[in-house]
Amino acid sequence: MRVGTTEIYDDLLRKLVTATFKPGEKLKPTTLQGEYGCSANTIRDVLLRLSKVGVVEFEMQRGFRAQNTSPEHRHDITRFRILLEQEGVRLSILNGDLVWEARLSAAHHKLSHIESQIVRDNFNDFYATLWSDAEFEFHDTLISACGSEVLRETYGNIYVQFRQQMVNLERDFGTDYFKAIIHEHQTILDAALRRDIEGCQTAVFDHLKRNLTVDIK
Amino acid sequence: MRVGTTEIYDDLLRKLVTATFKPGEKLKPTTLQGEYGCSANTIRDVLLRLSKVGVVEFEMQRGFRAQNTSPEHRHDITRFRILLEQEGVRLSILNGDLVWEARLSAAHHKLSHIESQIVRDNFNDFYATLWSDAEFEFHDTLISACGSEVLRETYGNIYVQFRQQMVNLERDFGTDYFKAIIHEHQTILDAALRRDIEGCQTAVFDHLKRNLTVDIK
DNA sequence: AATATCAAAAATTTTGAAATTTAGTTGTTT
DNA sequence: AAACAACTAAATTTCAAAATTTTTGATATT
């Protein structure tokens, strides 16, 4: 299978956030080159770029590993995500115009539609990326009017890392879970459209707090 | 001149944050390989790693550039730095123990000593990295008890990007500037040791606000 | 039993050149 | 003169092999 580096990048990223590569697993260019029909250097190149996102760990002279997961790191990532999203939404509510409101409504509509389907059909591999992409689009749109490229880009990377930390979690992604999620997303949307900064920040916290492992200060 | 990749990395980073490479300047592996006596691929490797820090821009199929600077981006970086440092110092004051206080005092002592020398001798290339390193150590120590590796690591990268945004600024790094800085660092230290979260956050903001170009919300 | 030494194997990094892509120039057509 | 195509030079990316470094596992030493 001969593919371009964009395909290799996307495929490796997908395998990283779906735990096809287990956390901490060694990623050897010499092994992977066979699967993708390219040279080890190309794999190395792609892995360096993935380490920028934070889903791959790189250490000089000792290669690459899939980012490790742990309750502590998951907690840390979640806390950081809350910090960025709360500041992002604060600024978005201050700066956002009608177009932002419309885009947010659209993103939420798409997301809640998919979540309703999941409640009906149960969660499976087909919905995994569909839902994850839609959820990212909603949260990204939420902060998209913050006026800070740096904040938004950092949030994007953290979101991917967050997914990677979640995926191996033994958690029931059943009907109840998605029913709760639907309600939380609705609460976030309502507060945002109401221009209620504090209410929206609280809703964001309430949406993410289940991923915190110790009490937060 | 034959050097290892660590030396190449450090040398390129130094040239990026001292504007030896001008903002937006193209960084061509084929050109740079001559200077460092290595192959183009090795330079490429190093530049990919520097793009993780955020001082180099990479775009597929069109290579590398030194990160651009602009009043807007400088403002953005500064605002993000304020967000991270204010949260970092809040958590550090909540979590920090006596050892943290001692390390912070030590870092401040070293920094203020260097700053006093600069006031006496005037700022020059010799002091540039000496001061920058000491200033980073102070600010990094300030947030070092925050308990979040992710926050601290992100702050480190942002600090380097901040330096890069500052360096080409037409600003008088004369006696008055450093006298002001000395006072600001002292104010930050005092508030931290007094365990005054709000006071310290305000001191951090007052220290960085000169780099903001528009009013902040 | 624990630690140190060493050679072999495996993995990472670097190289130099080939293949591909982009950017710039010239020339043609409308 | 503007738009478009063809060509060329330069730069980026990819490759396969060589060089370097780390890891492994067996043997020897404390």
Side-chain angles (χ1 to χ4, degrees):
Chain A
M1 165 174 64
R2 178 69 162 74
V3 289
T5 70
T6 305
E7 282 75 26
I8 298 174
Y9 181 98
D10 291 345
D11 194 64
L12 288 177
L13 181 57
R14 185 183 55 74
K15 285 179 177 169
L16 285 160
V17 298
T18 57
T20 307
F21 292 127
K22 294 282 171 287
E25 179 178 346
K26 201 126 202 356
L27 303 170
K28 286 181 261 195
T30 28
T31 307
L32 293 166
Q33 78 176 116
E35 288 185 47
Y36 293 100
C38 66
S39 82
N41 242 331
T42 302
I43 300 289
R44 178 186 174 76
D45 198 288
V46 171
L47 289 174
L48 276 173
R49 285 192 280 137
L50 284 166
S51 79
K52 182 180 176 178
V53 180
V55 290
V56 164
E57 285 174 312
F58 169 71
E59 206 179 345
M60 267 185 67
Q61 311 284 19
R62 45 196 70 176
F64 303 90
R65 285 177 181 284
Q67 178 67 246
N68 237 314
T69 60
S70 71
E72 293 75 26
H73 195 231
R74 186 157 53 241
H75 177 89
D76 196 359
I77 295 280
T78 303
R79 217 164 38 149
F80 196 58
R81 187 181 157 190
I82 291 170
L83 174 69
L84 298 184
E85 191 159 340
Q86 286 187 334
E87 176 68 359
V89 80
R90 185 180 75 82
L91 292 166
S92 271
I93 289 177
L94 287 171
N95 299 327
D97 56 10
L98 192 63
V99 177
W100 171 66
E101 290 183 12
R103 283 193 294 110
L104 188 61
S105 294
H108 179 267
H109 182 78
K110 195 153 72 178
L111 176 60
S112 69
H113 181 76
I114 292 170
E115 286 171 342
S116 300
Q117 286 184 308
I118 294 174
V119 167
R120 196 190 55 207
D121 303 345
N122 289 329
F123 190 68
N124 56 41
D125 283 353
F126 171 73
Y127 284 123
T129 53
L130 198 69
W131 173 74
S132 178
D133 288 353
E135 219 237 355
F136 175 71
E137 199 180 320
F138 174 69
H139 285 281
D140 178 57
T141 306
L142 189 66
I143 66 163
S144 66
C146 71
S148 169
E149 279 306 309
V150 176
L151 170 53
R152 196 172 168 194
E153 201 181 305
T154 308
Y155 181 82
N157 288 341
I158 283 292
Y159 185 91
V160 179
Q161 291 179 51
F162 181 86
R163 281 271 149 269
Q164 187 180 36
Q165 291 294 317
M166 286 308 116
V167 78
N168 259 10
L169 213 53
E170 299 301 334
R171 182 180 285 172
D172 183 21
F173 288 103
T175 301
D176 287 349
Y177 177 76
F178 276 95
K179 277 184 181 166
I181 295 281
I182 288 174
H183 182 257
E184 287 162 16
H185 284 146
Q186 185 70 54
T187 307
I188 291 172
L189 175 72
D190 292 345
L193 296 182
R194 203 188 326 125
R195 304 280 171 165
D196 176 359
I197 293 177
E198 268 199 43
C200 199
Q201 288 180 327
T202 304
V204 165
F205 180 79
D206 289 343
H207 178 48
L208 294 171
K209 70 182 176 198
R210 67 167 63 77
N211 305 299
L212 297 171
T213 47
V214 296
D215 279 346
I216 202 167
K217 287 178 182 177
Chain B
M1 165 171 67
R2 179 69 161 75
V3 289
T5 70
T6 305
E7 282 75 27
I8 298 174
Y9 182 98
D10 291 345
D11 194 64
L12 288 177
L13 180 57
R14 185 182 55 74
K15 286 178 176 168
L16 286 160
V17 298
T18 57
T20 306
F21 292 127
K22 295 283 172 286
E25 180 178 346
K26 202 130 200 0
L27 303 170
K28 287 180 262 195
T30 28
T31 307
L32 292 166
Q33 79 175 115
E35 288 184 47
Y36 293 100
C38 66
S39 82
N41 248 333
T42 303
I43 300 288
R44 179 185 173 77
D45 198 288
V46 171
L47 289 174
L48 276 172
R49 277 155 50 207
L50 284 166
S51 79
K52 181 179 176 179
V53 179
V55 290
V56 165
E57 285 174 311
F58 170 71
E59 206 178 345
M60 266 185 69
Q61 310 284 19
R62 44 195 71 178
F64 302 91
R65 285 180 182 281
Q67 177 67 246
N68 238 315
T69 60
S70 70
E72 293 74 26
H73 195 232
R74 186 157 53 240
H75 176 90
D76 196 1
I77 294 281
T78 303
R79 218 163 39 148
F80 197 58
R81 188 181 156 188
I82 290 170
L83 175 69
L84 298 185
E85 191 158 340
Q86 285 186 336
E87 177 68 359
V89 80
R90 184 180 76 82
L91 292 166
S92 272
I93 289 177
L94 287 171
N95 298 328
D97 57 9
L98 192 62
V99 178
W100 171 65
E101 291 184 10
R103 282 192 296 110
L104 187 61
S105 294
H108 180 266
H109 182 78
K110 195 153 73 179
L111 175 60
S112 67
H113 181 75
I114 292 169
E115 287 172 341
S116 301
Q117 285 184 310
I118 294 174
V119 168
R120 198 191 53 205
D121 302 346
N122 290 327
F123 190 68
N124 57 42
D125 283 352
F126 171 73
Y127 284 122
T129 53
L130 198 69
W131 174 73
S132 178
D133 289 352
E135 220 236 353
F136 174 72
E137 199 181 319
F138 174 69
H139 284 281
D140 178 58
T141 306
L142 189 66
I143 66 164
S144 65
C146 70
S148 169
E149 280 306 309
V150 177
L151 171 52
R152 197 173 167 192
E153 201 180 306
T154 308
Y155 181 82
N157 288 341
I158 282 292
Y159 185 91
V160 178
Q161 292 179 50
F162 180 85
R163 281 270 148 270
Q164 187 181 34
Q165 292 293 319
M166 287 306 117
V167 77
N168 259 9
L169 215 53
E170 300 300 334
R171 183 180 284 172
D172 183 21
F173 289 103
T175 302
D176 287 349
Y177 177 76
F178 277 96
K179 277 184 180 167
I181 296 280
I182 287 173
H183 182 257
E184 287 161 18
H185 284 146
Q186 185 70 52
T187 307
I188 292 171
L189 175 72
D190 292 346
L193 296 182
R194 201 185 330 123
R195 305 277 171 168
D196 176 0
I197 291 176
E198 269 200 43
C200 199
Q201 288 180 327
T202 304
V204 165
F205 180 79
D206 289 342
H207 178 48
L208 293 171
K209 69 181 176 195
R210 67 166 63 77
N211 305 300
L212 297 171
T213 47
V214 296
D215 279 348
I216 199 167
K217 288 179 180 177

